[in-house]
Amino acid sequence: MKKFLRYLKLSFFTLPLLAAQQDNPIRIIFFGDSITQAGVRPGGYIVKMGEMLEKQGLKNKYELIGAGIGGNKVYDLYLRMEEDVLAKKPNIVLIYIGVNDVWHKASHGTGTDPDKFLKFYEAILKKLQAANIKVALCTPAAIGERTDFSNQQDGDLNQYSQMIRNLAKKHNLPLVDLRKAFLDYNLKNNPNNDEKNILTTDRVHLNDAGNQLVADEMWNVLKGM
């Protein structure tokens, strides 16, 4: 009888706690560069995802947080992850980085070498997984939208995208393959082989169609996590 009463008291304590935990929204942090920084502005991909969730009656089940800073590369994410990610105790982090690591090689004479890119990316994953945070990875979408691989950085961007695909496979993590999604979309919708204005405004940053495509592709992965 005493054991039963102890169990009953424990049940009354734990059941409300479990209910409270279930009422908490799933907190998702989008961790990236200027593309993600713009994602929280009107028409941005994070805003569009929030609108999609509202239409599906899921608005209160998710909390979407943008953590993007313009010009960031993978090592910038590593250096600010304690304050901008871990301190906010997210359930899920979606890492969307790589464009500047490639683009700045040509535009600024900087960038991130492949071996360093992998080391910093692995270090980010290690910290997130140590904190029991679920992680999804994204490939960098585009630096130019031509479909014949004549964009200046296509070679490097394909290499870095493949490294991210390999990391996702190695760590058994969900992947949002935006590199592939953008190419597939342009093959269907860019008959003139234009370098911008299909999904981007300037070959990199997203227009309305690009923001919607990113929101759709990310949600297709996030909803299963």
Side-chain angles (χ1 to χ4, degrees):
M1 186 64 179
K2 289 182 180 180
K3 288 184 178 180
F4 174 74
L5 289 173
R6 280 201 300 270
Y7 173 77
L8 196 61
K9 289 179 181 178
L10 182 62
S11 297
F12 279 117
F13 175 76
T14 58
L15 289 177
L17 178 62
L18 289 172
Q21 289 174 339
Q22 289 169 355
D23 289 338
N24 290 335
I26 297 171
R27 180 173 293 174
I28 304 174
I29 289 182
F30 300 83
F31 197 25
D33 52 33
S34 59
I35 299 171
T36 295
Q37 188 174 34
V40 299
R41 298 171 189 160
Y45 77 83
I46 298 172
V47 173
K48 284 184 177 290
M49 191 181 299
E51 293 168 350
M52 291 161 54
L53 293 175
E54 187 170 10
K55 289 178 181 178
Q56 297 174 38
L58 299 173
K59 181 180 179 180
N60 295 329
K61 292 188 177 182
Y62 293 90
E63 180 184 4
L64 309 181
I65 300 173
I69 294 181
N72 267 197
K73 305 177 186 69
V74 69
Y75 55 80
D76 296 302
L77 265 58
Y78 177 78
L79 292 174
R80 65 182 176 89
M81 66 183 302
E82 291 286 346
E83 181 177 353
D84 290 355
V85 176
L86 296 176
K88 296 177 181 177
K89 300 187 182 303
N91 302 100
I92 300 172
V93 172
L94 189 144
I95 303 171
Y96 182 12
I97 198 68
V99 165
N100 293 323
D101 298 274
V102 171
W103 193 15
H104 286 186
K105 290 182 181 181
S107 64
H108 295 75
T110 59
T112 310
D113 292 334
D115 59 334
K116 292 180 180 177
F117 184 83
L118 276 175
K119 286 180 181 178
F120 276 106
Y121 213 123
E122 289 266 20
I124 291 171
L125 294 179
K126 185 177 180 180
K127 281 199 170 189
L128 292 173
Q129 291 177 323
N132 295 316
I133 297 168
K134 294 181 180 180
V135 187
L137 312 185
C138 292
T139 54
I143 307 175
E145 298 191 65
R146 295 192 183 111
T147 58
D148 61 355
F149 296 109
S150 63
N151 305 293
Q152 182 183 1
Q153 283 89 18
D154 274 340
D156 280 348
L157 206 59
N158 289 336
Q159 178 188 6
Y160 284 57
S161 293
Q162 189 57 50
M163 287 193 291
I164 292 171
R165 294 183 189 113
N166 293 342
L167 282 172
K169 185 176 181 180
K170 175 183 176 181
H171 295 279
N172 194 28
L173 297 172
L175 175 71
V176 184
D177 199 342
L178 294 179
R179 181 68 177 151
K180 181 179 185 302
F182 268 55
L183 178 59
D184 289 347
Y185 185 96
N186 271 283
L187 286 169
K188 294 177 181 177
N189 298 283
N190 188 5
N192 297 323
N193 201 35
D194 293 329
E195 66 171 1
K196 59 183 180 179
N197 297 325
I198 309 302
L199 293 168
T200 73
T201 60
D202 59 357
R203 303 185 304 126
V204 172
H205 298 94
L206 308 175
N207 62 18
D208 189 69
N211 276 298
Q212 189 61 60
L213 179 61
V214 169
D216 290 337
E217 292 291 322
M218 287 184 176
W219 177 241
N220 284 339
V221 170
L222 289 171
K223 67 183 179 183
M225 295 180 65

